[in-house]
Structures are given as structure tokens and as C-alpha cells.
Amino acid sequence: MQTPVLRTVLVIFGTRPEAIKLFPVVAALKAIPGLNVRTCVTAQHRGLLDQVLEIAGLRPDIDLDLMEPGQSLDRLTARLLTGLGEVMDAEQPDRVIVQGDTATAMVGALAAYYRKVPVSHVEAGLRSGDIYQPWPEEVNRRIVAPIADQHFAPTETAAEALRRENIASSTIHVTGNTVIDALHATRAKLDADPSLAAGLDDIAARFAGKRLILVTTHRRENFGGGMEGIARAIGRIADRSDTAVLFPVHPNPNVVSVMDALLGDRANVARIAPLDYPHFIRALGMCEIALTDSGGVQEEAPALAKPVLVMRETTERPEGVHAGTAKLIGTDSDRIVSEISTLLDDKGAYTAMARAHNPFGDGHASARIARIVADGFGC
């Protein structure tokens, strides 16, 4: 009897969002006989990545540890290309899987292409239509698209964007977004063991009886004037006696310096270190409104019935805006304060956003992706 051929799948990621969205995919792939699943992290974001690896119980097979303070996109891209190329030469994968829009995803796809290794793209097809918003992520995604031969689009809108770029329909699969899988898995862990997010107990007690706004901001296109507008808006929001702000501050100096200068210390603002994933999911559950320039929060918050105000001019996730779960508001401080005040003071406006249908998935995207990958090998 002929021994079945073991197919090697190399899953590459380097940042916290990638790790969150790929750990359920890795688990689903490992459950399929005939697949040799190997994981490689670039550690494009070292500390934030490690938080997710720990809670997911995922120990990477290869760790390139490429993070350097303040390194340019040029240097990061060059180091990723040579580093991932060496990994692929050693691993000889039958397929490479990348996720989203990071430099790691873009370069991972390119290194695989140079070796004629097929590429699967998780969270494919997101487009803002503006190559500088989000920057450089919009172009990173577009570079991956013509290389990949399996496109796992989270929504029909994303799939249609790929078709407009002449990506073959037979290679596009609408799966839902794996971040919803990760959220459900993590909430189940928190339900079983609340101590995993006990680090927020003091803040929950401190702000008991107040309406909590969760803020996240880190986008490069908001550095400078945009970040200043966000800081001023947070200060004005915190002046309300019924409201408090929970703000896990991204460690980038372009964020920290502005918040230090313009926000200072306020009784109704908790500026804290970035949260690991369980604590972040608890924070989403605690808040009434998410104020963010992040992509992932636009998907996660609606799954918990939380309105999302997006501090950007465009989004590569228009499904949330169309569904009514998210609203684009930019970074003008007056606009931010006005939109938050509307949700706090108008119950109908709040309910309309909180109860809108989340278009980003049902929690089974990873199983669908794993099955498609396995079927491609005949597993």
C-alpha cells in the first residue's frame, strides 16, 4: 500500500493582528491528516505578537525575530525578503499561507512567488481605493493578489473587489473573517477562566457607573495633525462627568509623544499599556463605544454589539459602514466629539448601530479555509 504524501504548509505571520487571525487557522489545519503545518513568525511586532502566541498556546517552528526600533520600511522589507527566502529554501513548503496587509504578508507572498510556491491569502480582497489610506497596507494587499492562487475573502464585497481586478472567480472563496473565530475562542476561554483578563478589575472598579469609551489609534496616516486631533477629542470627551475613556496606548513614539503633550493626566482617562488579546476582548465587552483607526476593531466590536466610530477618511472594510455597525468620522476633534455625544445622548442612534447585523462572519471561517487548502492537496 502506497504511503500518503505529507504536504507541508508554511504559515507566515509577524504582527499581533496576523497572529490573532491565523491561530484558529493553524489549529484547523493541524486537525487534518496529511498536512505538515509549519509556522514561521517574523516578529515584525515582537512584544505584541508574543502576547497572542502565549494565549493561543502556539509555539512557532521558526522565529526570525526581525523587529528593530524605528527601522524603515525599506530595511524591514529587505530583511523580510532575505529571511523568508532562506526559510522557504530550508522548509521546501508545498504551499505558503499569509494573512492580511502587512509587510510580512506582502514579502512572504513575493518570496514564495520567486520559488514558484503557491500562496493562499487569508482576508483577501479588502480595498479602500486609496493607496495612501491605509498606508502602506493598501498596496501590500494589492501586491499579494496577483500572486495568490487561493483568495479567502471575508465577505462578498471583498470577493467582488478581487473580480474587478481580474482575479479568477474559481480561486476566490468567501469564508467569513477568522477574527470572529478568534474572538469566540477567546471569549470561551474567558468564560472558563476570568482570571485571564483580571488585569482590568481595577479599571472596572474605578469607572463603575460611567459610560466607557475604548480608544485605539496607531495608523501611520494619522501621525502628526490627525493624532493631535484625536488627543484633543479624547480630552473633551473625558470632561463629561458620566463618561470615562480606556486608552491602551500603542508604543509608537508618534502616538505616545502626542498623547503625553496634549492629553496629560486626566481622572476620567486610563492610559494603559497595550492589552493582550484576552484583556482587549474584555475591554470591548466593558465599553459602550469603540473609537478606533484600527482595521480589526471594525470587525470585532460589532460581534459584541458595540458601535464603532472609525477615525479615518476611508476604510478597506466598507461592509461595516454599509451595514451600519461602523461610521467613518475622520480625525477632526469637533467631529469626533459630536459623533460620540450623539451615541451617548441619543438612544435610538446608539441602538441602530449596536443592533445592526455584523457582516464579517459566523465563527467558522478557519474550518472553511483549512478544508479548501486540504482539498487542494486531495487530503
Side-chain angles (χ1 to χ4, degrees):
M1 184 175 179
Q2 189 173 9
T3 302
V5 177
L6 195 64
R7 301 290 192 172
T8 297
V9 178
L10 180 64
V11 184
I12 298 171
F13 52 102
T15 66
R16 168 190 161 123
E18 288 169 290
I20 290 169
K21 294 181 178 184
L22 282 176
F23 83 72
V25 176
V26 171
L29 289 167
K30 287 185 173 181
I32 297 177
L35 295 182
N36 174 33
V37 183
R38 302 280 288 171
T39 54
C40 171
V41 298
T42 64
Q44 183 180 331
H45 293 167
R46 178 79 270 171
L48 299 179
L49 169 68
D50 289 346
Q51 292 176 353
V52 181
L53 295 177
E54 182 177 358
I55 187 61
L58 182 60
R59 178 172 295 180
D61 298 298
I62 305 115
D63 189 336
L64 295 180
D65 197 22
L66 293 181
M67 181 175 176
E68 287 181 349
Q71 70 180 329
S72 68
L73 289 174
D74 293 347
R75 177 166 171 77
L76 173 62
T77 299
R79 297 176 72 216
L80 285 167
L81 190 58
T82 55
L84 288 173
E86 290 170 359
V87 168
M88 291 182 201
D89 290 340
E91 294 288 322
Q92 294 292 302
D94 297 292
R95 176 166 292 277
V96 164
I97 296 179
V98 298
Q99 192 282 331
D101 56 15
T102 66
T104 292
M106 182 268 286
V107 176
L110 189 61
Y113 168 70
Y114 286 163
R115 290 155 181 81
K116 297 184 178 180
V117 177
V119 173
S120 301
H121 189 196
V122 176
E123 198 185 62
L126 276 63
R127 299 290 185 271
S128 73
D130 183 338
I131 65 171
Y132 294 109
Q133 295 194 49
W135 175 84
E137 289 83 0
E138 176 77 2
V139 165
N140 287 344
R141 287 185 186 275
R142 296 194 198 187
I143 290 171
V144 176
I147 295 174
D149 72 333
Q150 288 181 342
H151 305 266
F152 300 127
T155 65
E156 181 56 39
T157 299
E160 183 56 32
L162 291 166
R163 296 186 195 106
R164 288 197 301 269
E165 295 174 6
N166 297 316
I167 300 298
S169 293
S170 61
T171 68
I172 301 169
H173 310 273
V174 178
T175 61
N177 198 304
T178 60
V179 75
I180 308 301
D181 307 21
L183 185 149
H184 289 328
T186 304
R187 286 194 78 192
K189 288 186 177 183
L190 288 175
D191 289 343
D193 184 3
S195 68
L196 292 172
L200 288 176
D201 287 352
D202 288 346
I203 287 175
R206 171 182 168 187
F207 293 146
K210 292 185 180 289
R211 307 172 74 181
L212 194 64
I213 312 297
L214 176 64
V215 178
T216 71
T217 180
H218 71 284
R219 296 239 66 86
R220 288 183 177 89
E221 59 267 29
N222 283 342
F223 291 169
M227 203 61 64
E228 292 170 5
I230 292 168
R232 292 189 176 96
I234 292 170
R236 291 168 60 187
I237 293 162
D239 285 340
R240 290 181 55 132
S241 61
D242 66 338
T243 303
V245 176
L246 176 56
F247 186 3
V249 182
H250 194 282
N252 190 300
N254 292 288
V255 179
V256 175
S257 62
V258 173
M259 297 306 156
D260 284 344
L262 297 181
L263 197 53
D265 294 323
R266 293 172 180 264
N268 278 0
V269 179
R271 282 202 288 156
I272 62 176
L275 297 171
D276 65 21
Y277 195 54
H279 283 88
F280 178 73
I281 296 304
R282 182 182 177 189
L284 269 182
M286 291 165 55
C287 79
E288 285 200 28
I289 300 166
L291 178 66
T292 187
D293 61 11
S294 167
V297 178
Q298 297 174 52
E299 300 155 344
E300 293 160 320
L304 299 180
K306 308 296 181 177
V308 187
L309 296 177
V310 184
M311 298 180 292
R312 291 162 59 176
E313 301 300 330
T314 62
T315 179
E316 69 283 16
R317 294 166 172 85
E319 298 91 339
V321 176
H322 296 155
T325 62
K327 188 172 185 179
L328 289 170
I329 64 170
T331 58
D332 176 77
S333 60
D334 289 340
R335 175 78 186 278
I336 294 170
V337 172
S338 174
E339 295 289 353
I340 287 183
S341 297
T342 296
L343 290 178
L344 290 174
D345 299 333
D346 184 336
K347 186 175 180 179
Y350 184 92
T351 301
M353 291 190 74
R355 293 184 179 175
H357 170 69
N358 181 13
F360 294 110
D362 59 4
H364 300 288
S366 299
R368 295 186 187 102
I369 289 168
R371 188 67 262 162
I372 293 165
V373 171
D375 287 348
F377 290 131
C379 294

